Amino acid sequence: MTTAFSNSSPIADDPSTIDPVAVYDAVWNDLNDGMYALTVLEAGVDFRFIAFNQAVADYSILPTDELQGKRLSEVLPPERVKLYHHYYNQCLKTGKTTVLEEQLSISSGETWWHLNIYPVRNSSGEIYQLLVSATDITRQRQAEMALEKSKQILQQVIDSMPAAIFWKDLDSRYLGCNQAFADIAGHETVTEMVGKNDYDMPWKKEESDWFVACDRRIMKADRAELNIIEPQLQADNRQAWLRTSKIPLHDANGSVFGILGVLEDITDRKQAQDEQARLLAILEATPDIVGITDTDGNHHYLNKAGQLMFGVSPDHVSQLNISQTMPPEVANMLLAEALPVAEKQGIWSGESVICDAQGQEVPVSHVVICHQSAEGKIQYFSSIKRDISDRKAAEIHLKQQSEELSEALTQLQQTQAQIIQAEKMSSLGQMVAGVAHEINNPVNFIHGNLQPACTYTKELLDLIDIYAQTYTATPDIEAILENIEIDFIREDLPKLLNSMVMGTDRIREIVLSLRNFSRLDESDLKTVDIHEGIDSTLVILNHRLKTENSTQAIEVIKHYGELPLVDCYPSQINQVFMNILANAIDALADHPKPRITITTESQGDFANIRIDDNGPGMPQAIQSQILNPFFTTKPVGKGTGMGMSISYQIVTEKHGGLLTFASEEGQGTEFSISIPSQQI
């Protein structure tokens, strides 16, 4: 093939000079690089192929003889015409070599070419031809593409890793990183990181100083540093904690040319560790005993308070079982009650007892928490124990004080009741005694004069009989005798006087009963007949034996046995009879056939008195309160609730006896009084 410039050179045979034509021919005929020439048409409107070397002929898709002399626009597709036209005109405009790379598809596959477009000037300096050299760079591009693909794969691999990865040069400038690190630095792509240093990043200056100093130290020493814990301010303004490992990078000669860093964000873990450390510090400082055990009761953790309590060193905590820290019965209780409750409900709380290092029992408040896995399997138990010895002592002290106060209050109530009742009975006794005294004098006067009146009356009647026998009655006397019915008077007057004597006797008996009941002159211990006290009380209550709502009077049945004289305080015993009988009368208010039965008997050294009624009885719910002070079943204003309480004190405390009762609803109530015959 002829060259584009086939002319002889005048200096071709001169060995001391360069022959441009010879050089051009040598290049043109090189089979490694293809070359072709074009003529510029119409100042670059189009171009014409004018010459091709053998290398172009070998790889050209179109035969070169078909291209020879043809315009560019005649033989190539429009898109390629446009591409070449752009670069050819660029060479025309700049007058400089223009570089172009293109991809061609040939029968053997895809090829890549590097094109250099050289301007060729005529003698006038105008560019009238273009010389194009084409170098096959297919292998190079394939190698580059393979390398790029490997880099992409490698980038994908490191981007998929959870750890952030970066690598820097000797000046601590970033050569690359994975996406995780780019995200930390606030960049969307890893390419934005290339060429930047730590001072271009969002971290604090002191952090950047630390990073750079660390890089230089590692590269200088050529020694990796692993698991470096360091803080770092993130792009989102979040202060993070990182665990970083840095490794020096070496080139083919073994020289350090940079550094590789792998870092893991351990902020959550660090915060959890810090929180755990704070909690552990709290547990160690608390005076409560905090422990963690497995399902067999072996300790996995015991705080300082627990170690001191049980006298165990930190190294031997794992050898301590909960059964060694408490009495056997408490351990059995925990196994049988506390742990099942904690397993079912998650927590158990109560009180238990532990043993200290000296074996002394210590009362504690106790909480057991069951920790289970997501599958519901028990993993371990935690417990909190608090020494409540002081509280227990305080509770005992308060209980004693409460009992003492309660006892004092009871005594005060009893004393108050006694004072009230004593004042009441004293007033009643004084009134009864006064009434008895006032009645007694005129009754005695009348009673004392009735006997002489009877005698005088008999004598006068005898005198009238003698007069009737001795003298004959005049008509006037006969009329008077008939008018006054002297025979009736003679028969009825003695009866009248006898009835008056009986009436005064009854009044005297009542006065005596009133005096016996009040017994104001017998406030000391006396030996008395109990029956007299009962009878005197019945006399006082006689007006109430005819109940308001009943059409029938209350029947009183007496079963008096042989009782010895009894040493007692008469007025107080009478008060007991009064309270019991009055309550019985109240209970019988609505009964159609009311009845009170009084039975006495001697039993050993005791005089027993039973008073029972056939009333409605007492409900079971109130029977336990009957003897309590101020308890009453009567309406407000009808009772003080002191009668039975005082009666109980009189019998039990003052006389050393017994006062009991039995009652059944619908069957009535019976009170039993047992008094020693002699007071010691």
Side-chain angles (χ1 to χ4, degrees):
M1 181 179 291
T2 60
T3 65
F5 311 98
S6 56
N7 58 343
S8 61
S9 172
I11 56 174
D13 298 327
D14 187 352
S16 61
T17 61
I18 296 176
D19 185 354
V21 175
V23 171
Y24 178 79
D25 286 339
V27 173
W28 182 265
N29 294 314
D30 184 2
L31 296 178
N32 292 320
D33 292 332
M35 298 188 72
Y36 61 91
L38 304 101
T39 299
V40 179
L41 301 177
E42 302 172 9
V45 173
D46 206 348
F47 301 88
R48 187 190 305 277
F49 291 102
I50 59 174
F52 304 91
N53 72 350
Q54 188 59 44
V56 171
D58 292 340
Y59 72 76
S60 178
I61 299 175
L62 297 175
T64 54
D65 55 354
E66 294 181 8
L67 297 175
Q68 184 71 34
K70 299 291 183 66
R71 287 174 173 261
L72 181 66
S73 58
E74 291 177 340
V75 295
L76 295 181
E79 63 274 9
R80 296 193 68 82
V81 171
K82 184 177 181 181
L83 173 67
Y84 290 132
H85 191 276
H86 168 73
Y87 285 99
Y88 294 163
N89 274 284
Q90 184 176 347
C91 181
L92 290 176
K93 291 178 181 179
T94 61
K96 297 180 179 179
T97 301
T98 300
V99 178
L100 167 66
E101 285 190 6
E102 67 172 334
Q103 179 181 1
L104 295 177
S105 297
I106 59 177
S107 59
S108 60
E110 295 292 328
T111 60
W112 284 266
W113 297 85
H114 179 83
L115 279 65
N116 288 319
I117 305 171
Y118 302 100
V120 179
R121 301 177 184 274
N122 57 20
S123 58
S124 301
E126 295 177 352
I127 300 174
Y128 73 106
Q129 287 182 342
L130 297 178
L131 180 63
V132 181
S133 66
T135 303
D136 187 352
I137 58 172
T138 301
R139 290 185 178 180
Q140 178 182 345
R141 279 305 297 269
Q142 288 176 342
E144 290 176 354
M145 290 174 62
L147 179 60
E148 183 64 26
K149 186 175 182 180
S150 298
K151 288 175 62 177
Q152 290 176 357
I153 294 174
L154 178 60
Q155 188 68 46
Q156 290 176 356
V157 170
I158 63 175
D159 283 343
S160 64
M161 296 178 66
I165 302 174
F166 64 88
W167 49 98
K168 302 178 182 178
D169 61 15
L170 289 173
D171 296 325
S172 288
R173 290 190 175 276
Y174 288 96
L175 297 174
C177 66
N178 66 352
Q179 190 59 48
F181 188 82
D183 293 339
I184 292 175
H187 292 285
E188 294 184 359
T189 63
V190 297
T191 56
E192 297 177 26
M193 293 287 298
V194 177
K196 291 182 171 59
N197 58 32
D198 287 296
Y199 296 100
D200 299 324
M201 299 297 123
W203 6 110
K204 300 175 183 177
K205 181 180 182 303
E206 55 270 23
E207 293 175 346
S208 298
D209 293 340
W210 159 257
F211 297 150
V212 172
C214 180
D215 294 346
R216 291 175 179 174
R217 182 177 66 251
I218 292 171
M219 289 187 289
K220 182 177 181 181
D222 194 9
R223 185 172 59 250
E225 292 186 10
L226 308 177
N227 299 322
I228 306 168
I229 306 300
E230 54 192 1
Q232 187 184 69
L233 182 65
Q234 306 288 280
D236 57 3
N237 206 33
R238 180 177 67 93
Q239 183 63 56
W241 283 89
L242 308 176
R243 182 172 66 186
T244 307
S245 295
K246 293 184 177 180
I247 304 170
L249 296 175
H250 302 85
D251 59 17
N253 298 322
S255 300
V256 175
F257 73 88
I259 190 169
L260 172 69
V262 180
L263 57 90
E264 179 184 3
D265 189 336
I266 60 170
T267 305
D268 293 341
R269 190 184 311 170
K270 184 72 165 55
Q271 290 175 346
Q273 290 174 346
D274 292 345
E275 183 66 23
Q276 183 179 8
R278 285 192 292 269
L279 291 175
L280 186 61
I282 294 172
L283 293 179
E284 290 299 309
T286 181
D288 294 340
I289 300 170
V290 181
I292 298 175
T293 62
D294 57 25
T295 54
D296 295 326
N298 299 313
H299 279 87
H300 290 190
Y301 170 77
L302 186 64
N303 69 342
K304 186 176 295 183
Q307 296 170 18
L308 293 175
M309 175 64 73
F310 302 127
V312 61
S313 65
D315 297 336
H316 293 83
V317 165
S318 60
Q319 302 173 13
L320 182 67
N321 191 278
I322 58 172
S323 61
Q324 302 171 256
T325 66
M326 57 188 62
E329 62 274 11
V330 177
N332 293 334
M333 182 276 292
L334 287 176
L335 291 174
E337 299 179 17
L339 296 187
V341 171
E343 180 180 354
K344 183 178 180 180
Q345 302 180 1
I347 186 171
W348 171 88
S349 62
E351 292 185 359
S352 63
V353 177
I354 60 175
C355 298
D356 62 14
Q358 289 73 40
Q360 298 295 321
E361 293 188 355
V362 180
V364 294
S365 63
H366 199 161
V367 177
V368 178
I369 304 171
C370 179
H371 302 268
Q372 299 180 346
S373 65
E375 295 77 20
K377 184 179 180 180
I378 299 176
Q379 295 179 311
Y380 57 90
F381 291 97
S382 61
S383 65
I384 304 172
K385 307 180 189 73
R386 176 171 293 180
D387 187 343
I388 57 174
S389 301
D390 293 340
R391 192 185 81 187
K392 284 294 185 182
E395 287 178 355
I396 293 173
H397 181 65
L398 288 174
K399 184 177 180 181
Q400 292 175 345
Q401 286 185 330
S402 177
E403 291 175 352
E404 292 172 357
L405 289 173
S406 178
E407 183 178 354
L409 177 61
T410 301
Q411 292 177 353
L412 179 61
Q413 290 176 335
Q414 292 174 351
T415 302
Q416 181 184 14
Q418 291 173 354
I419 292 173
I420 294 172
Q421 193 69 12
E423 183 66 24
K424 175 182 176 182
M425 294 306 297
S426 175
S427 299
L428 178 60
Q430 290 177 1
M431 182 189 71
V432 170
V435 170
H437 177 72
E438 292 299 324
I439 294 175
N440 190 52
N441 287 336
V443 167
N444 284 339
F445 176 77
I446 295 171
H447 186 76
N449 290 327
L450 281 175
Q451 188 59 43
C454 290
T455 301
Y456 298 156
T457 300
K458 183 177 183 304
E459 290 175 349
L460 288 174
L461 290 174
D462 290 342
L463 179 59
I464 291 172
D465 289 339
I466 292 172
Y467 268 102
Q469 294 174 3
T470 304
Y471 299 99
T472 302
T474 64
D476 293 336
I477 292 174
E478 288 289 344
I480 292 173
L481 290 174
E482 185 178 354
N483 185 47
I484 65 174
E485 297 182 0
I486 188 63
D487 292 336
F488 177 77
I489 291 175
R490 182 182 289 109
E491 182 182 354
D492 190 57
L493 184 57
K495 295 180 180 180
L496 180 63
L497 291 174
N498 287 334
S499 67
M500 292 174 68
V501 171
M502 291 176 61
T504 56
D505 285 340
R506 178 58 180 160
I507 293 173
R508 292 179 68 192
E509 290 176 1
I510 293 174
V511 170
L512 180 60
S513 295
L514 292 175
R515 290 178 61 84
N516 286 339
F517 178 79
S518 63
R519 290 188 181 271
L520 293 177
D521 56 344
E522 298 181 13
S523 59
D524 295 332
L525 196 65
K526 299 292 181 180
T527 301
V528 298
D529 184 352
I530 291 296
H531 292 153
E532 287 185 1
I534 297 173
D535 291 338
S536 299
T537 304
L538 288 171
V539 170
I540 299 299
L541 294 172
N542 186 65
H543 69 288
R544 294 192 58 199
L545 293 176
K546 181 71 159 82
T547 59
E548 296 179 2
N549 300 327
S550 178
T551 58
Q552 180 177 338
I554 297 175
E555 180 185 6
V556 178
I557 302 173
K558 299 179 183 178
H559 296 301
Y560 286 174
E562 293 291 334
L563 289 182
L565 297 178
V566 176
D567 293 340
C568 66
Y569 297 92
S571 63
Q572 295 185 14
I573 290 297
N574 289 344
Q575 182 180 345
V576 173
F577 296 151
M578 172 69 78
N579 290 334
I580 295 175
L581 287 169
N583 285 340
I585 291 171
D586 290 338
L588 294 169
D590 297 321
H591 201 285
K593 294 182 179 181
R595 183 183 68 251
I596 295 176
T597 303
I598 304 173
T599 305
T600 64
E601 63 179 354
S602 177
Q603 187 176 7
D605 296 331
F606 285 84
N608 297 332
I609 304 98
R610 297 196 306 275
I611 302 173
D612 68 83
D613 62 69
N614 62 341
M618 290 182 287
Q620 187 68 32
I622 69 170
Q623 291 186 20
S624 62
Q625 306 180 65
I626 290 300
L627 300 178
N628 292 341
F630 303 107
F631 177 79
T632 180
T633 59
K634 298 176 182 178
V636 177
K638 296 295 184 179
T640 62
M642 301 303 299
M644 293 313 302
S645 175
I646 291 175
S647 298
Y648 183 79
Q649 294 177 43
I650 290 173
V651 174
T652 59
E653 297 180 12
K654 297 289 288 187
H655 293 86
L658 295 174
L659 174 61
T660 60
F661 69 92
S663 182
E664 185 176 350
E665 289 191 75
Q667 301 298 319
T669 302
E670 178 183 272
F671 279 89
S672 297
I673 304 168
S674 183
I675 304 174
S677 300
Q678 295 180 342
Q679 297 291 324
I680 301 176

